[in-house]
Amino acid sequence: MSLKVVNLSKKYNDKWALRDVSFDVAAGEVFGIFGRSGSGKSTLLNTIQGVMTGDAGLVYFNGEDVTRVRGEARGFTTVQNARRSIWQRISKTKSFTSRGERESRNVLHAIDTAKNAILLDDTFCTMDSSRAQEFIESIRSVAKLRGLPVIFASVNFEQIMLACDRAAVLVNGEIRQIGEPQEIYEKPDSRFVADAIGRNNLFSARRLTSSKADVPEFQTVDGGHRLFAQRIERGGLGALNQNVTLAIRPEQISISFGASFPEDNLLKATVKRIRFLGPTSLVELDADGLKLQVLVLRLVGLNIGDECMVALPPDRIQIFKD
């Protein structure tokens, strides 16, 4: 079984909720739709399910055009439908369960009754992390065993990484990138994707070196720091007289107490805030106006107000000209 969406579009008044959305889901594949609240995820699932009519585009199941087939006739299983049926059954038996327990039953019901495709919309948002992980494994196992295509929409990219073989990033109703979750996380195609998929240091800069330089050098707008960045194709560097966005993830920055080497992009910074996150700590820094976040496994000898050196490896600094 397979599911294919081609140029699906939906408009509310003069605003596009979906615009030319295209992707395919293979038999046994769990395909993620990631986006922030209001990005169009639920509209997309409702249109694929057939309970909402798109303004343009096609939906294929097993090579057959089902665009004009409405609602339940498509035979797709959704957690929303399961939620209603299970809630009715729970109400009749007058049993009192937590919302998380009801959602757990919803997922089990969807898995047990699925015949064609499974559509899940933020299914695990009310579950604790351990339970969510159990159900993610169950869904992946059943999908592969039965050869069912599964679409899992979520605002949580960590769950997308745990659950999905591939994923699409939906930004303002448009798909900005499709790929394996790790690929999307490590190599976002644009500033919009880098910003959407979670914590990231994004800052404006202007290129100083020629497009023919072996290693491009930039000057940050905030703080005026000169930074080397990774090598990319000339077309992605942006014009010399225009700002671009540089990006580096908090876990890719290191706090250094060693000697300063310009090629390491070492900056002097002041600790402004420390947030304990359990196994890690998030350190918020100010480098002469350039705000940075650093994620460390263990924080030793630093307190708010202290000065330190931070290293931004050039091969970890990405360049986005959009």
Side-chain angles (χ1 to χ4, degrees), residues 191 194-195 200-206 218-229 243-250 253 265 267 285 287 289-293 310-313 316-322:
R191 173 178 60 85
D195 182 47
N200 213 330
N201 292 291
L202 301 168
F203 43 92
S204 296
R206 186 162 293 192
F218 295 82
Q219 184 169 31
T220 64
V221 172
D222 295 329
H225 301 288
R226 295 169 73 106
L227 300 175
F228 294 102
N243 290 347
V244 298
T245 298
L246 301 184
I248 184 169
R249 291 201 169 276
I253 300 176
N265 287 331
L267 309 179
L285 303 167
L290 180 64
K291 303 297 191 298
L292 297 170
Q293 292 186 335
V310 291
L312 289 69
R316 296 293 186 176
I317 297 180
Q318 295 178 298
I319 306 163
F320 302 122
K321 68 176 184 178
D322 55 344

mmCIF file of all heavy atoms in Angstrom, residues 191 194-195 200-206 218-229 243-250 253 265 267 285 287 289-293 310-313 316-322:
data_model
loop_
_atom_site.group_PDB
_atom_site.id
_atom_site.type_symbol
_atom_site.label_atom_id
_atom_site.label_comp_id
_atom_site.label_asym_id
_atom_site.label_seq_id
_atom_site.Cartn_x
_atom_site.Cartn_y
_atom_site.Cartn_z
ATOM 1 N N ARG A 191 16.868 28.944 6.388
ATOM 2 C CA ARG A 191 16.711 29.559 7.706
ATOM 3 C C ARG A 191 15.371 29.202 8.323
ATOM 4 O O ARG A 191 15.256 29.002 9.541
ATOM 5 C CB ARG A 191 16.844 31.086 7.577
ATOM 6 C CG ARG A 191 16.526 31.853 8.852
ATOM 7 C CD ARG A 191 16.736 33.342 8.638
ATOM 8 N NE ARG A 191 15.891 33.882 7.585
ATOM 9 C CZ ARG A 191 14.633 34.285 7.773
ATOM 10 N NH1 ARG A 191 14.053 34.167 8.949
ATOM 11 N NH2 ARG A 191 13.949 34.782 6.765
ATOM 12 N N ALA A 194 15.702 25.713 9.767
ATOM 13 C CA ALA A 194 16.600 25.755 10.918
ATOM 14 C C ALA A 194 15.911 26.354 12.133
ATOM 15 O O ALA A 194 16.100 25.906 13.271
ATOM 16 C CB ALA A 194 17.850 26.558 10.572
ATOM 17 N N ASP A 195 15.099 27.356 11.904
ATOM 18 C CA ASP A 195 14.377 28.016 12.988
ATOM 19 C C ASP A 195 13.219 27.159 13.491
ATOM 20 O O ASP A 195 12.953 27.094 14.695
ATOM 21 C CB ASP A 195 13.856 29.369 12.503
ATOM 22 C CG ASP A 195 13.137 30.139 13.594
ATOM 23 O OD1 ASP A 195 13.669 30.224 14.718
ATOM 24 O OD2 ASP A 195 12.038 30.652 13.330
ATOM 25 N N ASN A 200 18.227 26.897 17.985
ATOM 26 C CA ASN A 200 19.309 27.148 17.045
ATOM 27 C C ASN A 200 19.789 28.579 17.229
ATOM 28 O O ASN A 200 18.988 29.473 17.510
ATOM 29 C CB ASN A 200 18.823 26.954 15.604
ATOM 30 C CG ASN A 200 19.905 26.427 14.689
ATOM 31 O OD1 ASN A 200 21.077 26.700 14.887
ATOM 32 N ND2 ASN A 200 19.515 25.677 13.676
ATOM 33 N N ASN A 201 21.082 28.797 17.105
ATOM 34 C CA ASN A 201 21.627 30.152 17.112
ATOM 35 C C ASN A 201 21.590 30.686 15.690
ATOM 36 O O ASN A 201 22.282 30.179 14.808
ATOM 37 C CB ASN A 201 23.071 30.142 17.621
ATOM 38 C CG ASN A 201 23.173 29.788 19.093
ATOM 39 O OD1 ASN A 201 22.770 30.559 19.960
ATOM 40 N ND2 ASN A 201 23.704 28.613 19.378
ATOM 41 N N LEU A 202 20.767 31.695 15.460
ATOM 42 C CA LEU A 202 20.632 32.315 14.147
ATOM 43 C C LEU A 202 20.993 33.792 14.281
ATOM 44 O O LEU A 202 20.436 34.491 15.132
ATOM 45 C CB LEU A 202 19.204 32.184 13.627
ATOM 46 C CG LEU A 202 18.651 30.761 13.457
ATOM 47 C CD1 LEU A 202 17.148 30.792 13.217
ATOM 48 C CD2 LEU A 202 19.349 30.054 12.310
ATOM 49 N N PHE A 203 21.915 34.261 13.445
ATOM 50 C CA PHE A 203 22.293 35.661 13.540
ATOM 51 C C PHE A 203 22.712 36.181 12.170
ATOM 52 O O PHE A 203 23.218 35.446 11.321
ATOM 53 C CB PHE A 203 23.411 35.878 14.562
ATOM 54 C CG PHE A 203 24.518 34.867 14.521
ATOM 55 C CD1 PHE A 203 25.648 35.088 13.733
ATOM 56 C CD2 PHE A 203 24.444 33.697 15.261
ATOM 57 C CE1 PHE A 203 26.676 34.159 13.699
ATOM 58 C CE2 PHE A 203 25.473 32.759 15.229
ATOM 59 C CZ PHE A 203 26.585 32.994 14.445
ATOM 60 N N SER A 204 22.488 37.473 11.967
ATOM 61 C CA SER A 204 22.777 38.109 10.682
ATOM 62 C C SER A 204 24.258 38.434 10.571
ATOM 63 O O SER A 204 24.915 38.785 11.561
ATOM 64 C CB SER A 204 21.958 39.392 10.524
ATOM 65 O OG SER A 204 20.576 39.102 10.486
ATOM 66 N N ALA A 205 24.774 38.335 9.343
ATOM 67 C CA ALA A 205 26.178 38.633 9.075
ATOM 68 C C ALA A 205 26.343 39.025 7.616
ATOM 69 O O ALA A 205 25.447 38.811 6.793
ATOM 70 C CB ALA A 205 27.052 37.422 9.404
ATOM 71 N N ARG A 206 27.485 39.602 7.326
ATOM 72 C CA ARG A 206 27.778 39.996 5.951
ATOM 73 C C ARG A 206 29.137 39.440 5.544
ATOM 74 O O ARG A 206 30.097 39.484 6.313
ATOM 75 C CB ARG A 206 27.773 41.522 5.818
ATOM 76 C CG ARG A 206 27.921 42.020 4.403
ATOM 77 C CD ARG A 206 27.473 43.452 4.259
ATOM 78 N NE ARG A 206 26.027 43.591 4.473
ATOM 79 C CZ ARG A 206 25.340 44.707 4.184
ATOM 80 N NH1 ARG A 206 25.964 45.752 3.669
ATOM 81 N NH2 ARG A 206 24.052 44.766 4.407
ATOM 82 N N PHE A 218 32.876 36.002 7.484
ATOM 83 C CA PHE A 218 31.748 36.910 7.653
ATOM 84 C C PHE A 218 31.984 37.811 8.861
ATOM 85 O O PHE A 218 32.772 37.487 9.752
ATOM 86 C CB PHE A 218 30.442 36.128 7.858
ATOM 87 C CG PHE A 218 30.022 35.311 6.674
ATOM 88 C CD1 PHE A 218 30.577 34.055 6.449
ATOM 89 C CD2 PHE A 218 29.080 35.782 5.783
ATOM 90 C CE1 PHE A 218 30.200 33.288 5.362
ATOM 91 C CE2 PHE A 218 28.695 35.032 4.688
ATOM 92 C CZ PHE A 218 29.249 33.781 4.465
ATOM 93 N N GLN A 219 31.253 38.914 8.885
ATOM 94 C CA GLN A 219 31.239 39.770 10.063
ATOM 95 C C GLN A 219 29.809 39.848 10.576
ATOM 96 O O GLN A 219 28.885 40.172 9.822
ATOM 97 C CB GLN A 219 31.761 41.174 9.752
ATOM 98 C CG GLN A 219 31.848 42.064 10.983
ATOM 99 C CD GLN A 219 32.599 43.352 10.709
ATOM 100 O OE1 GLN A 219 32.577 43.870 9.595
ATOM 101 N NE2 GLN A 219 33.273 43.885 11.709
ATOM 102 N N THR A 220 29.629 39.531 11.853
ATOM 103 C CA THR A 220 28.278 39.520 12.413
ATOM 104 C C THR A 220 27.767 40.947 12.578
ATOM 105 O O THR A 220 28.537 41.865 12.910
ATOM 106 C CB THR A 220 28.254 38.813 13.778
ATOM 107 O OG1 THR A 220 29.047 39.537 14.724
ATOM 108 C CG2 THR A 220 28.797 37.393 13.655
ATOM 109 N N VAL A 221 26.469 41.132 12.348
ATOM 110 C CA VAL A 221 25.849 42.444 12.532
ATOM 111 C C VAL A 221 25.884 42.833 14.004
ATOM 112 O O VAL A 221 26.224 43.961 14.366
ATOM 113 C CB VAL A 221 24.408 42.422 11.987
ATOM 114 C CG1 VAL A 221 23.684 43.725 12.338
ATOM 115 C CG2 VAL A 221 24.416 42.201 10.477
ATOM 116 N N ASP A 222 25.538 41.895 14.878
ATOM 117 C CA ASP A 222 25.613 42.134 16.316
ATOM 118 C C ASP A 222 26.998 41.750 16.820
ATOM 119 O O ASP A 222 27.451 40.622 16.625
ATOM 120 C CB ASP A 222 24.559 41.311 17.067
ATOM 121 C CG ASP A 222 23.135 41.725 16.733
ATOM 122 O OD1 ASP A 222 22.938 42.923 16.433
ATOM 123 O OD2 ASP A 222 22.241 40.857 16.765
ATOM 124 N N GLY A 223 27.674 42.680 17.435
ATOM 125 C CA GLY A 223 28.985 42.400 18.006
ATOM 126 C C GLY A 223 30.148 42.627 17.066
ATOM 127 O O GLY A 223 31.286 42.781 17.496
ATOM 128 N N GLY A 224 29.912 42.621 15.746
ATOM 129 C CA GLY A 224 30.978 42.863 14.782
ATOM 130 C C GLY A 224 32.074 41.815 14.797
ATOM 131 O O GLY A 224 33.242 42.115 14.523
ATOM 132 N N HIS A 225 31.728 40.555 15.081
ATOM 133 C CA HIS A 225 32.724 39.493 15.142
ATOM 134 C C HIS A 225 33.008 38.945 13.747
ATOM 135 O O HIS A 225 32.094 38.766 12.938
ATOM 136 C CB HIS A 225 32.230 38.349 16.040
ATOM 137 C CG HIS A 225 31.932 38.770 17.440
ATOM 138 N ND1 HIS A 225 32.910 39.100 18.349
ATOM 139 C CD2 HIS A 225 30.747 38.927 18.090
ATOM 140 C CE1 HIS A 225 32.356 39.430 19.498
ATOM 141 N NE2 HIS A 225 31.049 39.338 19.373
ATOM 142 N N ARG A 226 34.274 38.645 13.489
ATOM 143 C CA ARG A 226 34.666 38.022 12.227
ATOM 144 C C ARG A 226 34.683 36.511 12.436
ATOM 145 O O ARG A 226 35.387 35.992 13.311
ATOM 146 C CB ARG A 226 36.032 38.527 11.789
ATOM 147 C CG ARG A 226 36.024 40.023 11.455
ATOM 148 C CD ARG A 226 37.434 40.547 11.297
ATOM 149 N NE ARG A 226 38.040 40.079 10.059
ATOM 150 C CZ ARG A 226 38.226 40.841 8.979
ATOM 151 N NH1 ARG A 226 37.843 42.103 8.985
ATOM 152 N NH2 ARG A 226 38.809 40.355 7.903
ATOM 153 N N LEU A 227 33.902 35.817 11.616
ATOM 154 C CA LEU A 227 33.755 34.370 11.765
ATOM 155 C C LEU A 227 33.974 33.672 10.435
ATOM 156 O O LEU A 227 33.472 34.116 9.394
ATOM 157 C CB LEU A 227 32.347 34.004 12.272
ATOM 158 C CG LEU A 227 31.904 34.556 13.621
ATOM 159 C CD1 LEU A 227 30.453 34.181 13.886
ATOM 160 C CD2 LEU A 227 32.788 34.029 14.736
ATOM 161 N N PHE A 228 34.712 32.576 10.472
ATOM 162 C CA PHE A 228 34.816 31.694 9.319
ATOM 163 C C PHE A 228 33.647 30.713 9.355
ATOM 164 O O PHE A 228 33.208 30.296 10.437
ATOM 165 C CB PHE A 228 36.136 30.923 9.332
ATOM 166 C CG PHE A 228 37.344 31.797 9.162
ATOM 167 C CD1 PHE A 228 38.122 32.151 10.249
ATOM 168 C CD2 PHE A 228 37.696 32.279 7.904
ATOM 169 C CE1 PHE A 228 39.237 32.952 10.094
ATOM 170 C CE2 PHE A 228 38.804 33.090 7.738
ATOM 171 C CZ PHE A 228 39.584 33.436 8.835
ATOM 172 N N ALA A 229 33.150 30.353 8.184
ATOM 173 C CA ALA A 229 32.021 29.416 8.091
ATOM 174 C C ALA A 229 32.396 28.260 7.177
ATOM 175 O O ALA A 229 33.474 28.237 6.565
ATOM 176 C CB ALA A 229 30.774 30.124 7.584
ATOM 177 N N ASN A 243 22.992 41.069 3.760
ATOM 178 C CA ASN A 243 23.113 40.223 4.946
ATOM 179 C C ASN A 243 22.637 38.807 4.644
ATOM 180 O O ASN A 243 21.719 38.595 3.836
ATOM 181 C CB ASN A 243 22.274 40.774 6.092
ATOM 182 C CG ASN A 243 22.840 42.059 6.666
ATOM 183 O OD1 ASN A 243 23.978 42.421 6.376
ATOM 184 N ND2 ASN A 243 22.056 42.748 7.474
ATOM 185 N N VAL A 244 23.293 37.845 5.288
ATOM 186 C CA VAL A 244 22.842 36.459 5.262
ATOM 187 C C VAL A 244 22.614 36.036 6.710
ATOM 188 O O VAL A 244 22.916 36.781 7.651
ATOM 189 C CB VAL A 244 23.879 35.522 4.596
ATOM 190 C CG1 VAL A 244 24.101 35.898 3.152
ATOM 191 C CG2 VAL A 244 25.187 35.529 5.369
ATOM 192 N N THR A 245 22.070 34.841 6.891
ATOM 193 C CA THR A 245 21.890 34.298 8.237
ATOM 194 C C THR A 245 22.898 33.186 8.458
ATOM 195 O O THR A 245 23.012 32.272 7.638
ATOM 196 C CB THR A 245 20.466 33.747 8.417
ATOM 197 O OG1 THR A 245 19.523 34.809 8.264
ATOM 198 C CG2 THR A 245 20.297 33.137 9.808
ATOM 199 N N LEU A 246 23.634 33.263 9.550
ATOM 200 C CA LEU A 246 24.511 32.183 9.974
ATOM 201 C C LEU A 246 23.810 31.405 11.084
ATOM 202 O O LEU A 246 23.073 31.986 11.891
ATOM 203 C CB LEU A 246 25.847 32.725 10.486
ATOM 204 C CG LEU A 246 26.671 33.561 9.509
ATOM 205 C CD1 LEU A 246 28.005 33.945 10.140
ATOM 206 C CD2 LEU A 246 26.887 32.836 8.200
ATOM 207 N N ALA A 247 24.033 30.098 11.106
ATOM 208 C CA ALA A 247 23.361 29.248 12.084
ATOM 209 C C ALA A 247 24.331 28.233 12.655
ATOM 210 O O ALA A 247 25.138 27.651 11.924
ATOM 211 C CB ALA A 247 22.173 28.527 11.441
ATOM 212 N N ILE A 248 24.223 28.030 13.960
ATOM 213 C CA ILE A 248 24.994 26.970 14.617
ATOM 214 C C ILE A 248 24.194 26.511 15.839
ATOM 215 O O ILE A 248 23.658 27.327 16.585
ATOM 216 C CB ILE A 248 26.408 27.443 15.028
ATOM 217 C CG1 ILE A 248 27.207 26.267 15.612
ATOM 218 C CG2 ILE A 248 26.360 28.633 15.972
ATOM 219 C CD1 ILE A 248 28.692 26.569 15.787
ATOM 220 N N ARG A 249 24.106 25.204 16.000
ATOM 221 C CA ARG A 249 23.305 24.652 17.097
ATOM 222 C C ARG A 249 24.052 24.770 18.429
ATOM 223 O O ARG A 249 25.289 24.741 18.476
ATOM 224 C CB ARG A 249 22.950 23.202 16.810
ATOM 225 C CG ARG A 249 21.965 23.080 15.659
ATOM 226 C CD ARG A 249 21.217 21.766 15.682
ATOM 227 N NE ARG A 249 20.127 21.835 14.721
ATOM 228 C CZ ARG A 249 18.933 22.371 14.958
ATOM 229 N NH1 ARG A 249 18.681 22.878 16.142
ATOM 230 N NH2 ARG A 249 18.006 22.397 14.033
ATOM 231 N N PRO A 250 23.306 24.896 19.529
ATOM 232 C CA PRO A 250 23.927 25.074 20.846
ATOM 233 C C PRO A 250 24.898 23.967 21.229
ATOM 234 O O PRO A 250 25.904 24.226 21.892
ATOM 235 C CB PRO A 250 22.724 25.105 21.801
ATOM 236 C CG PRO A 250 21.588 25.584 20.966
ATOM 237 C CD PRO A 250 21.833 24.995 19.603
ATOM 238 N N ILE A 253 28.601 24.381 19.821
ATOM 239 C CA ILE A 253 29.480 25.408 20.375
ATOM 240 C C ILE A 253 30.119 24.843 21.638
ATOM 241 O O ILE A 253 29.458 24.189 22.445
ATOM 242 C CB ILE A 253 28.701 26.692 20.707
ATOM 243 C CG1 ILE A 253 28.042 27.266 19.445
ATOM 244 C CG2 ILE A 253 29.612 27.735 21.346
ATOM 245 C CD1 ILE A 253 27.175 28.484 19.719
ATOM 246 N N ASN A 265 37.348 30.419 15.590
ATOM 247 C CA ASN A 265 36.236 31.339 15.861
ATOM 248 C C ASN A 265 35.997 31.489 17.360
ATOM 249 O O ASN A 265 34.885 31.318 17.858
ATOM 250 C CB ASN A 265 34.949 30.855 15.190
ATOM 251 C CG ASN A 265 34.950 31.040 13.687
ATOM 252 O OD1 ASN A 265 35.587 31.949 13.169
ATOM 253 N ND2 ASN A 265 34.256 30.169 12.982
ATOM 254 N N LEU A 267 35.393 33.481 20.685
ATOM 255 C CA LEU A 267 34.833 34.763 21.092
ATOM 256 C C LEU A 267 34.808 34.843 22.609
ATOM 257 O O LEU A 267 34.578 33.841 23.294
ATOM 258 C CB LEU A 267 33.397 34.927 20.568
ATOM 259 C CG LEU A 267 33.128 34.675 19.078
ATOM 260 C CD1 LEU A 267 31.649 34.865 18.793
ATOM 261 C CD2 LEU A 267 33.963 35.605 18.219
ATOM 262 N N LEU A 285 24.682 33.237 26.622
ATOM 263 C CA LEU A 285 25.871 34.081 26.619
ATOM 264 C C LEU A 285 25.634 35.367 25.832
ATOM 265 O O LEU A 285 24.787 35.417 24.932
ATOM 266 C CB LEU A 285 27.049 33.325 25.995
ATOM 267 C CG LEU A 285 27.435 31.983 26.620
ATOM 268 C CD1 LEU A 285 28.392 31.240 25.708
ATOM 269 C CD2 LEU A 285 28.052 32.189 27.989
ATOM 270 N N ALA A 287 28.109 37.940 23.709
ATOM 271 C CA ALA A 287 29.439 38.269 23.185
ATOM 272 C C ALA A 287 29.372 39.637 22.522
ATOM 273 O O ALA A 287 29.163 39.742 21.304
ATOM 274 C CB ALA A 287 29.897 37.203 22.200
ATOM 275 N N GLY A 289 27.027 41.818 22.447
ATOM 276 C CA GLY A 289 25.756 42.035 21.746
ATOM 277 C C GLY A 289 25.296 40.855 20.926
ATOM 278 O O GLY A 289 24.121 40.792 20.543
ATOM 279 N N LEU A 290 26.199 39.928 20.635
ATOM 280 C CA LEU A 290 25.815 38.713 19.920
ATOM 281 C C LEU A 290 25.349 37.677 20.943
ATOM 282 O O LEU A 290 26.130 37.205 21.762
ATOM 283 C CB LEU A 290 26.991 38.164 19.118
ATOM 284 C CG LEU A 290 26.714 36.873 18.321
ATOM 285 C CD1 LEU A 290 25.674 37.131 17.237
ATOM 286 C CD2 LEU A 290 28.006 36.331 17.719
ATOM 287 N N LYS A 291 24.061 37.354 20.916
ATOM 288 C CA LYS A 291 23.481 36.422 21.872
ATOM 289 C C LYS A 291 23.658 34.986 21.372
ATOM 290 O O LYS A 291 23.336 34.674 20.223
ATOM 291 C CB LYS A 291 21.984 36.709 22.078
ATOM 292 C CG LYS A 291 21.688 38.147 22.545
ATOM 293 C CD LYS A 291 22.295 38.448 23.893
ATOM 294 C CE LYS A 291 21.780 39.760 24.486
ATOM 295 N NZ LYS A 291 22.113 40.948 23.668
ATOM 296 N N LEU A 292 24.172 34.120 22.250
ATOM 297 C CA LEU A 292 24.410 32.728 21.909
ATOM 298 C C LEU A 292 23.890 31.819 22.999
ATOM 299 O O LEU A 292 23.870 32.192 24.184
ATOM 300 C CB LEU A 292 25.913 32.463 21.719
ATOM 301 C CG LEU A 292 26.632 33.192 20.590
ATOM 302 C CD1 LEU A 292 28.137 33.001 20.717
ATOM 303 C CD2 LEU A 292 26.136 32.700 19.232
ATOM 304 N N GLN A 293 23.468 30.624 22.603
ATOM 305 C CA GLN A 293 23.095 29.570 23.541
ATOM 306 C C GLN A 293 24.031 28.392 23.332
ATOM 307 O O GLN A 293 24.289 27.985 22.198
ATOM 308 C CB GLN A 293 21.646 29.135 23.330
ATOM 309 C CG GLN A 293 20.616 30.189 23.693
ATOM 310 C CD GLN A 293 19.200 29.656 23.598
ATOM 311 O OE1 GLN A 293 18.927 28.708 22.869
ATOM 312 N NE2 GLN A 293 18.287 30.256 24.328
ATOM 313 N N VAL A 310 34.248 31.076 23.933
ATOM 314 C CA VAL A 310 33.439 30.062 23.253
ATOM 315 C C VAL A 310 33.975 29.861 21.846
ATOM 316 O O VAL A 310 34.398 30.815 21.179
ATOM 317 C CB VAL A 310 31.941 30.439 23.193
ATOM 318 C CG1 VAL A 310 31.329 30.377 24.568
ATOM 319 C CG2 VAL A 310 31.741 31.814 22.577
ATOM 320 N N ALA A 311 33.986 28.616 21.409
ATOM 321 C CA ALA A 311 34.487 28.276 20.080
ATOM 322 C C ALA A 311 33.327 27.860 19.185
ATOM 323 O O ALA A 311 32.515 27.011 19.559
ATOM 324 C CB ALA A 311 35.504 27.143 20.185
ATOM 325 N N LEU A 312 33.252 28.484 18.002
ATOM 326 C CA LEU A 312 32.238 28.159 17.007
ATOM 327 C C LEU A 312 32.955 27.531 15.808
ATOM 328 O O LEU A 312 33.467 28.258 14.940
ATOM 329 C CB LEU A 312 31.471 29.404 16.555
ATOM 330 C CG LEU A 312 30.499 30.065 17.546
ATOM 331 C CD1 LEU A 312 31.215 30.727 18.708
ATOM 332 C CD2 LEU A 312 29.621 31.084 16.823
ATOM 333 N N PRO A 313 33.049 26.215 15.746
ATOM 334 C CA PRO A 313 33.799 25.563 14.656
ATOM 335 C C PRO A 313 33.283 25.998 13.280
ATOM 336 O O PRO A 313 32.076 25.935 13.020
ATOM 337 C CB PRO A 313 33.538 24.068 14.897
ATOM 338 C CG PRO A 313 33.155 23.976 16.341
ATOM 339 C CD PRO A 313 32.435 25.238 16.650
ATOM 340 N N ARG A 316 30.829 23.922 11.338
ATOM 341 C CA ARG A 316 29.488 23.768 11.909
ATOM 342 C C ARG A 316 28.597 24.977 11.670
ATOM 343 O O ARG A 316 27.408 24.951 11.965
ATOM 344 C CB ARG A 316 29.590 23.513 13.419
ATOM 345 C CG ARG A 316 30.295 22.219 13.795
ATOM 346 C CD ARG A 316 29.488 21.034 13.360
ATOM 347 N NE ARG A 316 30.063 19.789 13.836
ATOM 348 C CZ ARG A 316 29.516 18.581 13.664
ATOM 349 N NH1 ARG A 316 28.386 18.492 12.995
ATOM 350 N NH2 ARG A 316 30.097 17.508 14.128
ATOM 351 N N ILE A 317 29.175 26.039 11.152
ATOM 352 C CA ILE A 317 28.392 27.255 10.911
ATOM 353 C C ILE A 317 27.784 27.184 9.513
ATOM 354 O O ILE A 317 28.496 27.153 8.504
ATOM 355 C CB ILE A 317 29.262 28.507 11.047
ATOM 356 C CG1 ILE A 317 29.800 28.641 12.476
ATOM 357 C CG2 ILE A 317 28.443 29.754 10.685
ATOM 358 C CD1 ILE A 317 30.682 29.855 12.698
ATOM 359 N N GLN A 318 26.480 27.157 9.463
ATOM 360 C CA GLN A 318 25.770 27.075 8.184
ATOM 361 C C GLN A 318 25.402 28.463 7.692
ATOM 362 O O GLN A 318 25.224 29.407 8.482
ATOM 363 C CB GLN A 318 24.523 26.206 8.331
ATOM 364 C CG GLN A 318 24.851 24.750 8.655
ATOM 365 C CD GLN A 318 23.604 23.922 8.832
ATOM 366 O OE1 GLN A 318 22.790 24.166 9.712
ATOM 367 N NE2 GLN A 318 23.448 22.922 7.987
ATOM 368 N N ILE A 319 25.260 28.592 6.390
ATOM 369 C CA ILE A 319 24.987 29.867 5.761
ATOM 370 C C ILE A 319 23.652 29.793 5.019
ATOM 371 O O ILE A 319 23.445 28.897 4.190
ATOM 372 C CB ILE A 319 26.104 30.232 4.748
ATOM 373 C CG1 ILE A 319 27.476 30.183 5.427
ATOM 374 C CG2 ILE A 319 25.850 31.605 4.127
ATOM 375 C CD1 ILE A 319 28.622 30.118 4.438
ATOM 376 N N PHE A 320 22.747 30.719 5.311
ATOM 377 C CA PHE A 320 21.451 30.782 4.626
ATOM 378 C C PHE A 320 21.287 32.181 4.066
ATOM 379 O O PHE A 320 21.287 33.172 4.805
ATOM 380 C CB PHE A 320 20.298 30.477 5.596
ATOM 381 C CG PHE A 320 20.407 29.131 6.252
ATOM 382 C CD1 PHE A 320 20.458 29.030 7.631
ATOM 383 C CD2 PHE A 320 20.448 27.972 5.500
ATOM 384 C CE1 PHE A 320 20.554 27.805 8.253
ATOM 385 C CE2 PHE A 320 20.553 26.740 6.108
ATOM 386 C CZ PHE A 320 20.605 26.642 7.487
ATOM 387 N N LYS A 321 21.139 32.278 2.765
ATOM 388 C CA LYS A 321 20.989 33.598 2.157
ATOM 389 C C LYS A 321 19.525 34.021 2.021
ATOM 390 O O LYS A 321 19.257 35.155 1.618
ATOM 391 C CB LYS A 321 21.669 33.627 0.780
ATOM 392 C CG LYS A 321 21.025 32.776 -0.288
ATOM 393 C CD LYS A 321 21.722 32.965 -1.626
ATOM 394 C CE LYS A 321 21.016 32.198 -2.737
ATOM 395 N NZ LYS A 321 21.652 32.420 -4.051
ATOM 396 N N ASP A 322 18.578 33.098 2.367
ATOM 397 C CA ASP A 322 17.161 33.489 2.263
ATOM 398 C C ASP A 322 16.703 34.174 3.537
ATOM 399 O O ASP A 322 17.263 33.976 4.598
ATOM 400 C CB ASP A 322 16.288 32.267 1.981
ATOM 401 C CG ASP A 322 16.469 31.161 3.002
ATOM 402 O OD1 ASP A 322 17.464 31.199 3.742
ATOM 403 O OD2 ASP A 322 15.606 30.278 3.035
#
